[in-house]
Amino acid sequence: MSRYYYLPVEQNSGTAGLSREVALPATIRADKVTLTRGPRSFSGMSETVLLVGGGGREHAIARALAPDCSLYAVAGNRNPGIVDLADGFEQIDGTDAEAIVEYAEEIDATLAIVGPEAGLQAGVADELDAAGIYTFGPQAEEARIETDKAFQRQFMADNDIPGCPDFETFDEMDAACAFIDDYDGDLAVKPVGLTGGKGVKVIGDQVTSEEAKAYLQESDYEGVVLEERLIGEEFTIQAFVADGDLRTTPAVQDHKRAYEGDEGPNTGGMGSYSDTGFQLPFMNEGDYEAAVDIMEQTVAAMPDYKGVLYGQFMLTTEGPKVVEFNARFGDPEAMNTLPILETPFIDVLTAARDGDDLPELEFTGQATVCKYAVPDGYPTDPNAGAKIAVDEETVGDGLLFYASVDARENGLYTTTSRSFAVVGRADSIAAAEEIAEDALAAAGEGFHIRHDIGKADLVQSRIDHMDELRGA
């Protein structure tokens, strides 16, 4: 069973200075308590942790772990934010399990955490575990919940896990195209393997039926899942999992489309927001608990799963339906969740390794807004080489997370991928959005940013959409 507490907070020091009562899920209540910011737990200071990965997600993980352990990192790219936080860094491809294990043994790592899905698919967790280094991340077989979408859907069907849409899987694209012709309704077209969040095409939203068939015929995908198009509002819940137990975190809404107003092609994620409680403004009481129930049943059917389980849901008129599961933190969602986690993240990792109950999670009670800065032209025709003027000094009250940057002697420059993200934290989504916007003021030319993320009119449009669907 998952246990999650969102404690009312009076912060007696620090910059937030908020005192508030936050509603807990109906099944769990807590008396008002005071959480005083002070020295973090030092229970993990004897731990040496190896972090695998070099993106914005991993920068957030590093920031959460660094105060409480000796942190080392490996990645195929050199993320300056991670390098500054780590006691050591080695540039190693994140899928090179043999080299990663060798480095882990060299630094006497006692724990490891794998950030990106590609490393999990490549069996990095398997090899680290086999070397006696407990890894907070699923082994390759369990990671198939993300890395093989056909397996994911069949797994849900075989285990009677609720929230699974109608679906069919195909190895032959001609058969898939015939199914599109015969199906009475719109479909989501999902390549079976990993596509970096950019492979899904939704008929009736992004493409027509003819365009979807052309997409499949021109692709070299090994297989495809066709499933009913879900109508509603998407949200994500991330959970920490070990020994059949899980602890859940506040819901987050990501924005995949490249342009404001949810237009344009899909991306790895342009930004995201969370509210002061566990649910989002467009969610009713019970929506969060229903999604958590789906995740609990999923974990119960995978007793060996460990690490982060990311559930992406579509809130429909029939309740939450599963869009997909991921086997790791989301990027950008990790940057919403970890900065408001009061429980030392190292305590989650050590409890998982030692077979102890996972700690009850406490959060600051703040809303968050994350916005990514990406190179102009991203994702279809990105222009690299713009100088990054945003740094720790210019972001003010915001948090800065580097993703894919080119470090030169005279500064940092963009590559063709997402460059950096900023996060605002405050006692409302609107106030957090203002902090994030102020943090981007120094961005300059050569960047594209979705400035609408977290703004009142976009958040209200989500509420209005669900009200309309529900007939409110």
Side-chain angles (χ1 to χ4, degrees):
M1 170 173 292
S2 68
R3 285 170 280 181
Y4 47 93
Y5 295 87
Y6 212 96
L7 298 178
V9 176
E10 285 184 4
Q11 292 180 324
N12 296 328
S13 63
T15 59
L18 64 102
S19 176
R20 62 190 303 106
E21 290 193 12
V22 182
L24 293 163
T27 56
I28 299 176
R29 305 298 301 180
D31 293 329
K32 184 174 175 64
V33 300
T34 297
L35 296 180
T36 303
R37 285 189 181 274
R40 294 185 62 134
S41 165
F42 288 94
S43 59
M45 285 306 292
S46 62
E47 303 291 346
T48 299
V49 181
L50 177 63
L51 168 63
V52 179
R57 164 184 50 221
E58 289 75 37
H59 190 177
I61 295 170
R63 193 188 291 264
L65 287 173
D68 300 321
C69 69
S70 296
L71 180 67
Y72 291 78
V74 296
N77 62 301
R78 188 177 180 84
N79 183 313
I82 296 173
V83 171
D84 285 348
L85 289 165
D87 296 296
F89 173 82
E90 192 77 13
Q91 196 155 342
I92 299 173
D93 187 286
T95 62
D96 189 342
E98 182 178 354
I100 291 169
V101 170
E102 183 178 345
Y103 183 68
E105 292 176 334
E106 179 183 322
I107 63 171
D108 294 323
T110 59
L111 283 163
I113 180 168
V114 180
E117 60 273 27
L120 297 171
Q121 183 180 45
V124 171
D126 304 56
E127 296 304 316
L128 285 165
D129 284 338
I133 302 163
Y134 180 90
T135 302
F136 194 68
Q139 295 193 357
E141 178 61 28
E142 286 72 39
R144 290 179 69 201
I145 195 76
E146 172 177 9
T147 62
D148 184 340
K149 290 181 175 60
F151 168 83
Q152 177 188 112
R153 289 310 190 200
Q154 197 59 53
F155 167 85
M156 292 187 70
D158 291 346
N159 290 280
D160 296 321
I161 294 171
C164 186
D166 294 335
F167 72 95
E168 293 288 344
T169 62
F170 299 90
D171 296 325
E172 297 294 333
M173 296 305 109
D174 286 344
C177 290
F179 184 85
I180 291 173
D181 286 334
D182 294 340
Y183 188 79
D184 182 19
D186 292 333
L187 292 162
V189 180
K190 296 184 173 183
V192 165
L194 296 175
T195 60
K198 303 170 189 175
V200 176
K201 305 293 183 184
V202 180
I203 298 171
D205 179 20
Q206 298 163 296
V207 294
T208 65
S209 294
E210 293 303 314
E211 288 170 336
K213 290 189 292 182
Y215 170 62
L216 290 176
Q217 295 288 14
E218 294 166 5
S219 73
D220 57 357
Y221 296 130
E222 294 182 0
V224 64
V225 178
L226 299 179
E227 58 189 45
E228 64 171 309
R229 178 189 176 188
L230 300 174
I231 304 296
E233 285 294 331
E234 291 188 27
F235 68 94
T236 296
I237 296 174
Q238 299 167 108
F240 305 146
V241 181
D243 298 320
D245 202 3
L246 73 162
R247 301 286 185 269
T248 57
T249 65
V252 182
Q253 185 172 58
D254 185 18
H255 299 72
K256 287 289 190 185
R257 303 293 280 271
Y259 310 136
E260 296 194 2
D262 294 323
E263 300 291 336
N266 277 346
T267 70
M270 293 296 296
S272 45
Y273 70 95
S274 64
D275 208 346
T276 54
F278 272 79
Q279 65 192 46
L280 292 163
F282 57 81
M283 299 169 69
N284 288 339
E285 186 175 353
D287 293 335
Y288 182 89
E289 288 91 335
V292 170
D293 179 66
I294 292 171
M295 297 183 77
E296 288 176 340
Q297 293 190 49
T298 301
V299 170
M302 290 192 301
D304 294 330
Y305 193 95
K306 57 185 173 66
V308 176
L309 180 65
Y310 166 116
Q312 185 177 18
F313 299 93
M314 184 73 78
L315 181 56
T316 74
T317 56
E318 299 175 348
K321 297 291 184 81
V322 176
V323 175
E324 66 177 356
F325 287 114
N326 290 334
R328 36 73 190 181
F329 277 116
D331 187 342
E333 293 95 334
M335 293 176 274
N336 299 93
T337 300
L338 289 172
I340 60 168
L341 178 64
E342 284 284 299
T343 305
F345 188 40
I346 188 66
D347 290 356
V348 176
L349 272 62
T350 55
R353 178 196 59 196
D354 298 340
D356 297 334
D357 288 343
L358 296 179
E360 310 295 352
L361 302 182
E362 298 176 6
F363 297 89
T364 66
Q366 293 170 296
T368 67
V369 173
C370 174
K371 301 191 184 194
Y372 250 113
V374 302
D376 279 341
Y378 175 87
T380 55
D381 190 22
N383 298 314
K387 188 168 185 179
I388 299 172
V390 174
D391 58 27
E392 296 286 356
E393 297 298 322
T394 67
V395 295
D397 292 333
L399 298 175
L400 172 63
F401 297 98
Y402 289 111
S404 179
V405 298
D406 177 14
R408 305 177 190 175
E409 290 184 0
N410 63 337
L412 301 177
Y413 291 80
T414 60
T415 67
T416 57
S417 296
R418 293 178 296 175
S419 305
F420 64 89
V422 298
V423 174
R425 300 171 294 175
D427 59 357
S428 69
I429 295 172
E433 191 276 332
E434 290 182 4
I435 293 171
E437 274 296 303
D438 289 344
L440 290 165
E445 300 296 322
F447 296 93
H448 168 63
I449 299 162
R450 272 198 61 174
H451 293 286
D452 61 341
I453 294 172
K455 288 194 180 296
D457 55 350
L458 187 61
V459 174
Q460 185 61 47
S461 73
R462 311 300 200 212
I463 299 170
D464 294 343
H465 184 213
M466 284 311 305
D467 285 347
E468 179 183 356
L469 291 175
R470 288 168 160 154

